[in-house]
């Protein structure tokens, strides 16, 4: 059983308060684009987590998609939103967790992450960084980690449900991605190398690139 949780309960602060999940990009909303990718990746059920005020509208939006089994409200933080969605997943198999704000993920990459998680227990999509990354404190460079060892991780991230349940129960703080929950248990998370254009729409600068990617049918 492959369950997908699509996270769409953010408020888009860095985009000036625009709820980016509902932005129309070339005729289709960001959320719709993301959900469609998981339908095409043939997951068994899709749970959408959205803002409380949007639950009814989102239910309506996806009423013709049988794969979308639940639409529920999120929490204050991303981790709380995942938790709300996870409680509604069927029990066995793996859960794939995806940011609605990454609508350009490749269907084949979703499948690869799912297979890797089924094989190993935990996997994420990611790309090696191409910039040199510096560790900076108060505007001053403190150190330069080896670039060959650095990856930018993306979503989906996928885990055995049994493992993820334990990680959520043991969680001591609120993380910005789900790998950290598993890492905190001392368990390996495997990286599936994806594509740089699986961007997370975050700031206004991302919007023109997003429009371009949509035009390219990604
Ligand atoms: N998200 C969520 N619940 C939250 C916070 C975020 O479901 N409490 C979702 C967002 O909708 C998004 C994804 O998690 O699809 C990644 O989060 P991010 O890019 O940070 O989106 P926002 O939180 O909306 O943006 P910002 O941080 O700028 O407010
Ligand atoms: Mg956020």
């Amino acid at each position: 059983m492959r369950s997908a949780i699509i996270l769409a309960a953010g408020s888009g602060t860095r985009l000036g308060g625009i709820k980016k999940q509902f932005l129309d990009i070339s005729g289709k909303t960001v959320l719709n684009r993301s959900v469609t990718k998981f339908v095409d990746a043939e997951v068994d059920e899709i749970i959408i987590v959205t803002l409380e005020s949007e639950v009814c509208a989102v239910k309506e939006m996806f009423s013709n998609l049988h794969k979308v089994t639940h639409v529920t409200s999120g929490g204050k933080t991303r981790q709380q939103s995942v938790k709300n969605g996870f409680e509604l997943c069927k029990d066995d198999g793996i859960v794939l967790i995806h940011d609605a704000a990454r609508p350009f993920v490749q269907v084949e990459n979703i499948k690869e992450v799912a297979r890797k998680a089924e094989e190993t227990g935990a996997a994420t999509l990611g790309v090696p960084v191409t910039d040199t990354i510096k560790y900076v404190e108060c505007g001053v460079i403190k150190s330069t980690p080896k670039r060959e060892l650095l990856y930018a991780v993306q979503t989906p991230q996928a885990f055995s449900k049994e493992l993820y349940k334990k990680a959520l129960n043991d969680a001591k703080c609120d993380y910005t991605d789900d790998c950290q929950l598993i890492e905190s248990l001392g368990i390996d998370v495997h990286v599936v190398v994806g594509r740089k254009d699986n961007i997370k729409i975050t700031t206004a600068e991302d919007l023109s690139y997003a429009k371009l990617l949509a035009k390219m049918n990604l």
Side-chain angles (χ1 to χ4, degrees), residues 6-144:
I6 310 291
L7 295 172
S11 41
T13 320
R14 286 169 288 178
L15 201 60
I18 295 172
K19 289 167 196 141
K20 57 201 183 191
Q21 57 275 48
F22 304 116
L23 258 185
D24 188 304
I25 298 186
S26 300
K28 217 170 156 186
T29 66
V30 169
L31 176 60
N32 195 350
R33 285 176 181 278
S34 289
V35 170
T36 305
K37 295 292 172 66
F38 283 77
V39 172
D40 293 348
E42 295 168 350
V43 299
D44 299 297
E45 59 171 5
I46 298 172
I47 292 142
I48 302 174
V49 184
T50 192
L51 297 153
E52 201 171 359
S53 57
E54 308 296 333
V55 170
C56 285
V58 171
K59 269 189 187 155
E60 185 67 23
M61 252 175 243
F62 295 99
S63 57
N64 58 342
L65 271 186
H66 301 308
K67 286 260 167 89
V68 177
T69 54
H70 301 275
V71 176
T72 192
S73 56
K76 276 213 177 75
T77 65
R78 186 185 179 283
Q79 192 167 304
Q80 282 168 7
S81 293
V82 181
K83 202 166 180 228
N84 292 1
F86 189 67
E87 279 162 7
L88 297 168
C89 287
K90 292 214 181 86
D91 260 347
D92 60 318
I94 59 152
V95 59
L96 290 127
I97 301 165
H98 186 66
D99 296 328
R102 291 187 191 272
F104 304 113
V105 63
Q106 300 270 310
V107 171
E108 193 45 49
N109 281 155
I110 297 173
K111 291 181 179 175
E112 278 176 85
V113 173
R115 285 194 289 265
K116 198 61 164 180
E118 280 160 354
E119 199 185 299
T120 66
T124 181
L125 208 53
V127 283
V129 301
T130 48
D131 292 324
T132 297
I133 308 287
K134 303 286 186 186
Y135 188 83
V136 177
E137 266 175 16
C138 304
V140 176
I141 294 172
K142 295 291 173 189
S143 62
T144 308

Side-chain angles (χ1 to χ4, degrees), residues 123-196:
T124 181
L125 208 53
V127 283
V129 301
T130 48
D131 292 324
T132 297
I133 308 287
K134 303 286 186 186
Y135 188 83
V136 177
E137 266 175 16
C138 304
V140 176
I141 294 172
K142 295 291 173 189
S143 62
T144 308
K146 267 193 186 164
R147 194 176 62 195
E148 311 87 82
L149 299 177
L150 296 175
Y151 281 72
V153 295
Q154 306 171 336
T155 68
Q157 302 187 341
F159 312 99
S160 108
K161 287 176 188 156
E162 204 184 336
L163 194 63
Y164 194 73
K165 195 175 188 173
K166 183 171 166 26
L168 260 185
N169 287 338
D170 290 6
K172 296 204 175 45
C173 51
D174 214 277
Y175 298 114
T176 52
D177 89 326
D178 300 285
C179 291
Q180 290 175 75
L181 281 170
I182 306 296
E183 291 165 50
S184 69
L185 295 179
I187 291 169
D188 290 346
V189 181
H190 297 262
V191 179
V192 171
V193 177
R195 292 167 55 121
K196 224 177 154 180

